[in-house]
Amino acid sequence: MATRCAFENSHEIGVFSALTNSYCLAGIGGNENFYSVLEAELREHIPVLHATIAGCRFVGRTTAGNVRGLLVPNTTTDQELAHLRNSLPDKVVVQRVEERLSALGNVISTNDHVALIHPDTDRETEEIISDVLGVEVFRQTVGGQALVGSYAKFTNQGGMVHPRTTVQDMEELSSLLQVPLVAGTVNRGSDVLGGGLIVNDWSAFCGMDTTGTEISVIESIFRLQRQQNGG
């Protein structure tokens, strides 16, 4: 099921939160309603952590992770790193990354098997992504956009890409990722999918402006209805 929510007055919830199959991060300082929406859906399955990165609440745009690991920028403080390591499940590896493109959530899009990365990402970062997250890594653009984390969102079930992505590009990406893809929007026509949507294999959260049609596309491509009916 996809749930609408907002972080304070912002519908760009993917800026302030991150979701995988083993944990959820939420920026400190949002109203408690945002956390309670996340916790109501998730806490039986995975921990929901309050966190900051380099003293900022933009935890969704500065980090990238999956069920095995979490990558954080080198601006992350020792205290923040310790908090993440202590609070996340033991199997999740937390790794600081020395990367010039430090908004990792904008330049990396990943599920538990494959990662797409910005074409200019450092070679060393590519190796860390592969090792820590345990994924195959591809340098790619989505709909002509290099910020793959902003314009592509995919899980182990399916994925959504920038609305201007060509059919040919979608077929190529779909065969790389081995999941079905659809071109779509969130928050009433926004193409910045990473900003307006967080999703894992059984739940999704999107900004309050997201329309009923957009939600039905999200629930369909990420196979969320079946999870609900099966559960």
Side-chain angles (χ1 to χ4, degrees):
M1 188 174 80
T3 308
R4 291 186 184 96
C5 53
F7 185 94
E8 293 178 352
N9 293 324
S10 174
H11 301 309
E12 300 291 317
I13 61 158
V15 172
F16 302 101
S17 58
L19 176 61
T20 73
N21 288 329
S22 58
Y23 56 88
C24 177
L25 303 182
I28 285 176
N31 57 28
E32 278 309 306
N33 182 40
F34 180 67
Y35 301 116
S36 57
V37 169
L38 294 177
E39 285 182 331
E41 281 291 315
L42 301 171
R43 75 169 158 236
E44 286 177 26
H45 310 285
I46 57 174
V48 180
L49 305 190
H50 292 64
T52 58
I53 299 289
C56 296
R57 306 182 294 176
F58 313 137
V59 295
R61 296 301 81 207
T62 50
T63 67
N66 66 5
V67 72
R68 294 180 201 88
L70 174 66
L71 304 177
V72 297
N74 60 353
T75 50
T76 308
T77 67
D78 292 345
Q79 195 178 355
E80 288 167 339
L81 206 59
H83 167 64
L84 290 168
R85 284 182 173 146
N86 292 337
S87 310
L88 288 169
D90 291 343
K91 64 176 184 176
V92 176
V93 179
V94 184
Q95 175 76 44
R96 240 195 219 129
V97 180
E98 299 273 339
E99 168 60 56
R100 188 175 49 84
L101 305 168
S102 61
L104 301 176
N106 286 341
V107 297
I108 302 166
S109 189
T110 184
N111 62 12
D112 298 336
H113 307 293
V114 182
L116 303 181
I117 63 171
H118 188 296
D120 299 336
T121 310
D122 288 348
R123 183 72 59 197
E124 197 178 319
T125 304
E126 183 180 349
E127 286 170 15
I128 291 170
I129 294 166
S130 179
D131 291 346
V132 174
L133 303 185
V135 292
E136 212 175 337
V137 182
F138 298 100
R139 291 173 184 267
Q140 202 70 36
T141 59
V142 174
Q145 305 283 346
L147 295 176
V148 288
S150 303
Y151 296 107
K153 204 78 188 150
F154 55 93
T155 66
N156 303 323
Q157 311 282 344
M160 189 177 269
V161 293
H162 189 287
R164 291 208 182 88
T165 310
T166 64
V167 173
Q168 188 181 351
D169 281 357
M170 267 175 32
E171 284 173 357
E172 186 186 325
L173 286 171
S174 186
S175 72
L176 279 183
L177 302 173
Q178 294 292 299
V179 295
L181 294 178
V182 69
T185 57
V186 290
N187 281 332
R188 198 174 286 124
S190 168
D191 55 15
V192 188
L193 305 173
L197 173 70
I198 57 172
V199 60
N200 69 8
D201 283 351
W202 69 87
S203 59
F205 301 87
C206 49
M208 293 293 255
D209 280 346
T210 306
T211 65
T213 306
E214 287 170 336
I215 280 190
S216 65
V217 172
I218 289 165
E219 289 182 341
S220 167
I221 194 64
F222 292 112
R223 300 186 188 172
L224 301 175
Q225 296 129 322
R226 201 162 59 192
Q227 301 280 345
Q228 199 182 4
N229 298 341

